[in-house]
Amino acid sequence: MNSLNTSPKIAFAFAGTFLFLAGALVLMGIITGEVFYPAPYSTSTNEISDLGATKPPDSIIYQPSATIFNLTMILTGIMILIATYFVHVIYRRIPITLSIGFLGLGALGVGLFPGNNPVTHPIFSLLTFISGGLAAILSALILRAPFRYIAPCFGIVGLTSLFMSSSLMPILGDGGVERWVAYPIVLWIIGFGGYLLGSQPLQQE
């Protein structure tokens, strides 16, 4: 299990901590960005990424919400990428490693390329949503019950909301649909981080 002399105990601690904090940071960062958004903001009509910058052609960047949101996503992406290494040290499951890694890369890209980037932002947003949903589903391969059965549900809800967005939009609005895509992934990140923090290494030091 060891990689670069990383002990199982350290790997569980670092993977769990970074994932748990990443999920918490996303929630609190979005909430804080919404609080300081100087224009009328609706969770139904406004997408989450509007906090960083609205879509072209008439993109608007509201401060301090843009700085709060973009910095939140950058830090979240970095923490998930760090956690990816330690998750790989623990489990060595390439599909899980890749899906979590792409999730981190997507979150990082969302922060680096806000909504006023018409090409790169949608790419990184989709990467975040798809890889996050897949990571939640694939995590069932390494989890113990009952979380083994709970975790995939978050991924299924997120991906279903993504691929049924056109049908759900009249009911929930753009922002509501995006939150049904994004928040299940965030909840899974927090749950998976807590699971790792509470797990015991396979080998005692």
Side-chain angles (χ1 to χ4, degrees):
M1 177 180 289
N2 289 348
S3 178
L4 297 180
N5 297 320
T6 302
S7 70
K9 183 177 181 180
I10 291 176
F12 273 95
F14 274 80
T17 298
F18 278 110
L19 286 173
F20 187 88
L21 291 179
L25 178 62
V26 169
L27 286 179
M28 300 310 298
I30 292 175
I31 291 171
T32 306
E34 291 173 346
V35 168
F36 287 102
Y37 202 77
Y41 188 88
S42 168
T43 54
S44 174
T45 58
N46 286 103
E47 296 180 358
I48 299 173
S49 295
D50 286 350
L51 295 171
T54 61
K55 294 179 180 179
D58 301 316
S59 296
I60 301 176
I61 300 175
Y62 289 112
Q63 296 292 359
S65 295
T67 298
I68 293 171
F69 176 76
N70 294 332
L71 186 58
T72 292
M73 298 309 299
I74 290 171
L75 292 176
T76 296
I78 292 173
M79 286 194 289
I80 293 175
L81 287 172
I82 294 174
T84 301
Y85 166 77
F86 293 103
V87 170
H88 182 68
V89 169
I90 297 168
Y91 297 108
R92 295 192 177 280
R93 297 288 188 95
I94 297 299
I96 295 173
T97 299
L98 289 178
S99 59
I100 298 176
F102 281 127
L103 169 60
L105 180 62
L108 178 62
V110 167
L112 291 175
F113 304 99
N116 58 337
N117 293 270
V119 177
T120 50
H121 182 79
I123 291 174
F124 281 110
S125 294
L126 277 176
L127 180 64
T128 302
F129 296 148
I130 294 175
S131 59
L134 290 176
I137 294 172
L138 292 172
S139 67
L141 300 173
I142 58 175
L143 298 172
R144 298 189 303 271
F147 195 44
R148 174 188 298 171
Y149 308 112
I150 298 173
C153 294
F154 288 111
I156 292 171
V157 169
L159 290 176
T160 300
S161 300
L162 176 63
F163 293 116
M164 293 185 61
S165 57
S166 59
S167 299
L168 295 173
M169 212 164 289
I171 303 171
L172 300 174
D174 289 352
V177 171
E178 189 180 44
R179 282 161 176 80
W180 269 88
V181 175
Y183 284 157
I185 297 171
V186 175
L187 293 174
W188 170 78
I189 294 172
I190 296 174
F192 187 40
Y195 174 89
L196 293 173
L197 286 173
S199 297
Q200 293 296 321
L202 297 178
Q203 297 178 356
Q204 299 296 326
E205 295 293 306

